[in-house]
Amino acid sequence: MKLIRVIMILSACMLSGGACRASDPFLAWPEAKPETRPWTRWWWLGSAVDDSSLAFRMGEMKKAGIGGVEITPIYGAKGFENSYIDFLSPEWMRALSFSISNGRRMGMSVDMDNGTGWPFGGGPVITTELAATRAIFVKYELKPGESLAESIAVKDERQKDVAKLALVMAYPEKGKAINLTRFVSPDGRLGLKADNGALKIVAVFTGKTLQKVKRAGPGGEGWVMDHFSRRALDAYLERFDQAFRSSGCPVPRQFFNDSYEVYGADWTPDLFNEFARRRGYRLEEHLLEFLGEGDAGAVARVKCDYRETISDMLFDNFAVPWTAWAHRMGSLTRSQAHGSPGNLVDLYGAADVPECESFGATWFDIPGFRWEGDVRMSDANPVLMKFSTSAAHLNGGAYASSETFTWLTEHFRTGLSQCKPQIDQMFCAGVNHVVFHGTPYSPKNAHWPGWQFYASVNFSSYNTIWRDIEPFTGYIARCQSFLQWGSPDNAFLVYWPLHDLWTSLKGDPFYPFSRPMNEWLVPSSFFSLVQTLRKNGYDADFVSDRYLEQAEVVDGRVTLPGGTSYPVLAVPSCAVMSSATAQKIISLAKAGATVMFLENLPSDVPGLFRSDKRKKEMAKAFDSLPIHGPFESERVDPFGNGMVVTGKDLGKTIALCNQGREEIADHGIQFIRRKNQEGFHYFFSNLHSKELDGWVTLGVNASSAALFDPLTAGSGMAPLRKEGGKTQVYLQLKPGQSAILKTASLPMDAGESETWNCLGQIGDPVGLADRWTISFIEGEPRIDRRYRLDRLVSWTELDTAQVKVFAGTGKYSTAFNLPETEADEWVLDLGQVNESARVFINGKAVGTLWSLPFRARVGSFLVPGRNLLEVEVTNAPANRIIDLDKRKVEWKFFHDINVANRAYKPLDASGWEL
């Protein structure tokens, strides 16, 4: 903590971020429920849990403002092996039952991972036959008259005991492919001579990925299952059926599926038959094209067909039946689809609650934002996160969840101020149900720093930032109370042209969307369109072919089965589209929808089977349009009962759709808008360096508006006016700040005390840098000394060894005389704070400052003359960890990966700077 200033305000308009707790129902916050509060992933290390500690830890979390837990068993702590409990054993089910019952008594809910560690689906019930599968291709070439001298066999020693020969095909220079499988002897010999010309032979082995469950807990070790096989899923879930039946344990609120991290699983034993059934031809007759040989167009079509087939199988044989199973159990599903080799919109949408993930850190251009250069850059781009939130919106679901803060910083170095911009960005992308990553279970008597999960962040009472966690969780709960209320109100429904991507992707046919987004998302016209929409003040959801097929037009809006509707369907520039989707889009336009095409109409269809016939069907559908492209200028054409908007320039074409834009985007403010029974409500966040202070035009009309401050829980009627027939509100957002705006179509009367007051002209600051004292009131090591400071400095600058390794809370105190200056308000500005600060003036609690900017209105706490300011600053525990590692104290005593740094190497903090 460095400079503290009091800034005086010389005048104020009738506007302030301070605000009353209003009596008017229009100014009341939505009801708080367990789901509006943040949840946390609760790692059970070795499942070495006991009732007393479970109840104690759940009580801590409840007090901290956490609404529920997701139990995920993982590897255990060394020395506690005798306390381990096998997953789904009677003893484990009793611990789960106790947790669910205890949660109900406390008003907390319990979810559970549908396995231990990850990925979903693995363990002792998965035999080699049911395990994740990969194809192994072995190629041979025979010249005219030659015979194959060697045996047909896999070369990989690891595969020799598990790989099975599935198929042998021969491809002559002319003529059709020949299936030779029946000619292969048990020892792999092929009795065949190339009498009629040269032959290319391809042998296909069904191998195994040999992947086992990662970070498995006791009783969960074993092979990862084949996610494309319904038989494998059923065998896996039967273990859960039996455990719940025999134990009588209540089912959790939701079963959870972590991100799809099934490495190299590109096949399933029944793929050839599934491919033929779904695509209309035999893949085995086109293995050369599948492997990249031959005509480039045919290669692209075959690869696209393969990619679509495994996507369909993952959807039909895993995602959909898993959710159906949970429903039969009386529960729901929450699922992360990212990393899947399939249609992300569909796979997210197959779950009751789609969940995205924030992994790594995002840099924000906010003054004072602390960036640690050795952290992993996050892939949590808002466009990427919107695949999951879009699925929630299409389904009409109440929740769009997120695994939040995974590896936000290195262990023990995370501040709450680093969390807020990350979570605000997720809120603006549609997330409204945050799950922390996460909270390791520790027994009640565990010594500091407690039991640890290998990846940060640790949200538990063993982390010093827990002292001020309740204001942080309260902020999240207040935001989510609005974000879970009402329904989405996005103007554009953007078609994701996945077939275009599947056809254009080069290289290996198997392409999971765990690859960096810079490979497949950022270069696409789809990404450009969505980014341009957001930059120009519009928001959008994404739609797949499968969802689009279920859409209909209601009152001129494209409406999905979940009830969510959109005034505009936008089709980005793409070359490939299925004829069925083309026909559906045309039918929606004729029925009254507004459809926007950018740059060009698709000119080809995906896949190999009867492509010419399907291409003609698509052309026939598009021939009915009044314009066919390429589109060099922007125009609007009536079409049936709807409209067709076409153009090349994204901004101009979007504007022709005549949707109310949110001009706040011109100020760089991120936002999301939802609608409710009274009007609309917004969440705004200023995640860049410029302050917003002025009138802003809304994209919707309103007669009244209220502002809500999720940091302070204050609310008040917002200044509102009409300009050019549009509604404007006065907003003030400093860098790092956020606000909620609620509108109503009818006038709402409020007294002067319920008016939102904003700050006006700022006077000269009054510095409070001199004559401070500091004492250490909570933490380790214990420090009894009180220090007098000539100038305000971080306590790490004090020349005392104990202070330099201290983790906890120190109280800075000073007395000052309030200048005899006329002011309507005083603002306390703490400058830089590491990491949070409880502020007291004249013995009264002002509040806890934990986010940028570290400011608070304090005029009502000040008195003429002498005033006492006390600031209780809590640091992160990094300095104490540095000391432990320098002294080689053994606190890392866990199996598997133990405790790792962000590079997945053993953590050693001895070289960190204070």
Side-chain angles (χ1 to χ4, degrees):
M1 187 176 77
K2 294 184 179 177
L3 178 66
I4 286 187
R5 298 176 295 161
V6 172
I7 297 178
M8 60 184 178
I9 308 306
L10 297 181
S11 63
C13 53
M14 293 192 59
L15 295 155
S16 167
C20 55
R21 295 182 179 275
S23 57
D24 190 318
F26 186 64
L27 299 179
W29 292 83
E31 178 188 0
K33 296 177 286 189
E35 287 78 12
T36 60
R37 299 182 178 93
W39 285 46
T40 191
R41 182 172 298 176
W42 198 14
W43 290 293
W44 282 9
L45 282 83
S47 294
V49 299
D50 63 84
D51 290 357
S52 176
S53 295
L54 287 171
F56 179 75
R57 296 303 179 197
M58 291 183 79
E60 284 186 321
M61 289 186 276
K62 171 71 174 179
K63 186 177 179 181
I66 291 174
V69 296
E70 168 216 304
I71 296 171
T72 299
I74 56 162
Y75 57 86
K78 297 175 183 177
F80 293 84
E81 289 81 0
N82 290 338
S83 300
Y84 289 178
I85 304 174
D86 280 348
F87 183 56
L88 297 183
S89 66
E91 190 178 0
W92 196 95
M93 296 301 294
R94 197 201 62 76
L96 174 64
S97 180
F98 174 84
S99 300
I100 293 174
S101 299
N102 186 62
R104 286 174 178 169
R105 288 193 298 271
M106 300 171 61
M108 295 177 71
S109 295
V110 174
D111 294 352
M112 69 170 282
D113 195 312
N114 231 148
T116 78
W118 58 91
F120 176 111
V125 300
I126 298 301
T127 62
T128 305
E129 181 186 8
L130 299 176
T133 302
R134 55 170 292 215
I136 303 170
F137 297 91
V138 185
K139 296 168 68 175
Y140 308 91
E141 292 193 17
L142 298 182
K143 295 179 182 178
E146 281 188 343
S147 298
L148 187 62
E150 59 184 297
S151 295
I152 295 175
V154 294
K155 304 293 192 293
D156 187 342
E157 291 294 331
R158 299 174 303 164
Q159 294 286 338
K160 286 190 174 180
D161 292 335
V162 294
K164 296 180 180 179
L165 182 65
L167 184 74
V168 178
M169 296 294 294
Y171 301 92
E173 291 180 303
K174 296 181 180 180
K176 295 183 178 181
I178 308 166
N179 190 327
L180 302 178
T181 311
R182 67 182 184 278
F183 298 112
V184 180
S185 66
D187 62 356
R189 294 286 178 176
L190 178 62
L192 176 73
K193 181 183 288 186
D195 290 331
N196 298 317
L199 285 177
K200 290 184 178 181
I201 297 175
V202 178
V204 184
F205 289 86
T206 303
K208 296 296 171 181
T209 67
L210 305 179
Q211 181 186 358
K212 292 188 175 181
V213 178
K214 195 174 182 179
R215 321 294 182 217
E221 307 92 338
W223 299 116
V224 172
M225 77 175 195
D226 179 357
H227 282 68
F228 306 119
S229 166
R230 177 64 185 272
R231 191 161 68 93
L233 176 68
D234 289 344
Y236 180 75
L237 294 177
E238 172 57 31
R239 187 185 183 200
F240 291 83
D241 290 334
Q242 186 175 359
F244 279 95
R245 275 197 308 265
S246 59
S247 67
C249 176
V251 295
R253 182 195 71 147
Q254 292 174 349
F255 288 98
F256 173 64
N257 171 27
D258 207 343
S259 53
Y260 189 89
E261 299 181 42
V262 186
Y263 306 123
D266 58 10
W267 208 258
T268 189
D270 201 33
L271 189 135
F272 283 124
N273 290 331
E274 288 273 8
F275 186 99
R277 181 174 68 84
R278 296 171 185 271
R279 303 282 84 84
Y281 68 99
R282 305 295 305 187
L283 176 61
E284 52 265 48
E285 296 176 1
H286 297 272
L287 289 180
L288 293 181
E289 292 93 336
F290 177 77
L291 296 173
E293 295 186 29
D295 176 73
V299 168
R301 291 181 186 279
V302 172
K303 286 183 178 180
C304 178
D305 282 335
Y306 161 78
R307 290 162 176 159
E308 185 170 8
T309 298
I310 61 170
S311 177
D312 289 347
M313 293 179 71
L314 187 59
F315 180 83
D316 292 335
N317 296 340
F318 170 72
V320 170
W322 172 56
T323 294
W325 168 83
H327 291 176
R328 290 194 298 273
M329 294 284 287
S331 184
L332 302 171
T333 56
R334 179 164 51 86
S335 182
Q336 299 180 0
H338 40 277
S340 303
N343 192 311
L344 295 180
V345 176
D346 292 343
L347 292 171
Y348 277 123
D352 295 297
V353 179
E355 179 168 298
C356 60
E357 176 181 0
S358 165
F359 190 107
T362 303
W363 183 80
F364 295 97
D365 184 24
I366 300 172
F369 177 71
R370 196 170 80 254
W371 175 256
E372 299 187 17
D374 61 346
V375 301
R376 171 172 171 161
M377 285 292 292
S378 175
D379 219 14
N381 182 283
V383 178
L384 188 61
M385 289 189 285
K386 286 180 74 66
F387 280 97
S388 65
T389 61
S390 294
H393 295 167
L394 299 180
N395 287 339
Y399 307 115
S401 184
S402 174
E403 173 190 315
T404 313
F405 307 133
T406 307
W407 280 120
L408 184 64
T409 71
E410 190 54 274
H411 288 275
F412 309 107
R413 283 159 52 171
T414 305
L416 298 177
S417 66
Q418 294 169 295
C419 296
K420 183 178 181 294
Q422 195 80 48
I423 207 167
D424 283 358
Q425 179 171 262
M426 299 174 77
F427 286 156
C428 292
V431 169
N432 65 4
H433 185 37
V434 166
V435 180
F436 291 157
H437 185 283
T439 304
Y441 166 93
S442 291
K444 264 200 308 188
N445 59 354
H447 295 297
W448 196 87
W451 289 11
Q452 295 288 327
F453 183 62
Y454 82 93
S456 67
V457 174
N458 183 328
F459 288 97
S460 79
S461 59
Y462 285 91
N463 193 334
T464 52
I465 64 173
W466 189 262
R467 185 178 195 260
D468 291 331
I469 196 77
E470 195 281 327
F472 174 58
T473 59
Y475 169 80
I476 295 172
R478 285 186 286 273
C479 291
Q480 293 190 157
S481 71
F482 268 101
L483 294 172
Q484 293 175 8
W485 177 42
S487 57
D489 190 48
N490 294 335
F492 288 82
L493 182 64
V494 180
Y495 170 67
W496 186 32
L498 182 54
H499 287 110
D500 201 65
L501 180 62
W502 275 336
T503 301
S504 62
L505 286 170
K506 308 295 183 185
D508 190 338
F510 181 67
Y511 195 96
F513 292 111
S514 56
R515 304 278 185 90
M517 58 182 282
N518 286 337
E519 285 187 14
W520 60 272
L521 180 58
V522 174
S524 67
S525 58
F526 169 82
F527 184 81
S528 297
L529 170 57
V530 177
Q531 288 284 73
T532 303
L533 284 168
R534 290 172 63 83
K535 182 180 178 181
N536 283 273
Y538 306 96
D539 209 348
D541 284 325
F542 312 156
V543 68
S544 66
D545 297 79
R546 181 180 272 112
Y547 272 106
L548 198 58
E549 182 59 36
Q550 304 172 65
E552 58 182 6
V553 178
V554 179
D555 297 329
R557 298 170 66 96
V558 179
T559 305
L560 279 299
T564 309
S565 64
Y566 304 84
V568 181
L569 172 63
V571 182
S573 172
C574 57
V576 177
M577 178 185 287
S578 76
S579 56
T581 296
Q583 292 165 347
K584 180 65 178 184
I585 292 173
I586 296 301
S587 70
L588 291 172
K590 288 181 177 179
T594 296
V595 178
M596 179 178 73
F597 292 99
L598 287 159
E599 296 189 33
N600 59 270
L601 294 173
S603 58
D604 204 352
V605 291
L608 188 65
F609 183 67
R610 296 180 179 174
S611 58
D612 289 341
K613 177 178 180 293
R614 290 184 288 113
K615 190 173 179 179
K616 290 177 181 177
E617 292 171 349
M618 183 185 70
K620 182 179 179 181
F622 286 141
D623 281 346
S624 63
L625 291 173
I627 184 172
H628 303 112
F631 312 123
E632 298 298 333
S633 60
E634 293 69 49
R635 55 184 279 182
V636 179
D637 291 284
F639 182 70
N641 294 322
M643 292 281 189
V644 174
V645 182
T646 53
K648 182 176 183 180
D649 183 281
L650 290 184
K652 293 179 181 178
T653 311
I654 291 167
L656 286 179
C657 294
N658 198 30
Q659 296 302 305
R661 63 183 292 262
E662 299 296 344
E663 295 185 11
I664 198 168
D666 299 342
H667 300 275
I669 306 299
Q670 295 193 29
F671 71 92
I672 189 169
R673 185 180 75 207
R674 294 174 68 86
K675 56 187 175 183
N676 57 68
Q677 60 270 30
E678 297 170 337
F680 302 87
H681 53 279
Y682 295 79
F683 176 81
F684 298 123
S685 184
N686 187 353
L687 299 178
H688 72 132
S689 61
K690 295 181 181 179
E691 178 181 357
L692 170 63
D693 186 353
W695 292 96
V696 174
T697 301
L698 299 181
V700 296
N701 285 317
S703 297
S704 305
L707 280 166
F708 296 78
D709 182 357
L711 273 178
T712 66
S715 62
M717 296 300 295
L720 183 146
R721 71 183 187 187
K722 294 287 185 177
E723 285 288 324
K726 295 184 177 181
T727 302
Q728 291 187 333
V729 295
Y730 198 94
L731 292 176
Q732 289 185 320
L733 285 173
K734 290 190 176 297
Q737 287 187 330
S738 52
I740 294 166
L741 178 73
K742 174 183 172 184
T743 72
S745 57
L746 298 175
M748 298 286 179
D749 294 326
E752 184 175 340
S753 65
E754 294 182 334
T755 299
W756 185 272
N757 298 312
C758 80
L759 298 176
Q761 181 182 352
I762 296 178
D764 295 329
V766 177
L768 300 177
D770 303 326
R771 299 184 303 277
W772 286 78
T773 62
I774 180 172
S775 57
F776 294 90
I777 60 176
E778 183 180 318
E780 292 290 338
R782 179 175 173 177
I783 303 171
D784 294 325
R785 177 181 169 185
R786 181 185 179 96
Y787 297 82
R788 295 187 181 277
L789 308 176
D790 293 331
R791 60 187 181 89
L792 187 59
V793 296
S794 165
W795 67 58
T796 56
E797 296 184 32
L798 300 179
D799 190 19
T800 305
Q802 279 186 308
V803 173
K804 293 185 184 296
V805 302
F806 178 78
T809 303
K811 180 193 287 187
Y812 287 87
S813 304
T814 191
F816 64 94
N817 288 317
L818 187 69
E820 295 181 1
T821 303
E822 183 179 352
D824 296 303
E825 181 60 281
W826 290 88
V827 173
L828 176 68
D829 184 343
L830 296 185
Q832 178 184 344
V833 176
N834 296 328
E835 298 300 333
S836 58
R838 296 183 185 179
V839 178
F840 301 84
I841 295 180
N842 299 321
K844 296 181 179 179
V846 173
T848 301
L849 305 185
W850 57 269
S851 64
L852 290 164
F854 289 94
R855 290 184 164 205
R857 294 166 181 255
V858 296
S860 62
F861 297 91
L862 298 171
V863 297
R866 201 71 167 162
N867 288 266
L868 174 64
L869 171 64
E870 297 169 297
V871 185
E872 295 181 1
V873 179
T874 300
N875 71 343
N879 291 344
R880 192 173 172 197
I881 292 295
I882 293 171
D883 178 58
L884 293 183
D885 277 359
K886 281 184 175 180
R887 294 190 288 115
K888 300 190 183 303
V889 175
E890 185 53 58
W891 61 271
K892 292 166 279 193
F893 50 89
F894 310 100
H895 287 291
D896 201 281
I897 196 172
N898 204 345
V899 181
N901 63 20
R902 59 100 189 168
Y904 293 85
K905 304 296 182 183
L907 177 69
D908 181 3
S910 62
W912 290 358
E913 294 182 2
L914 291 181

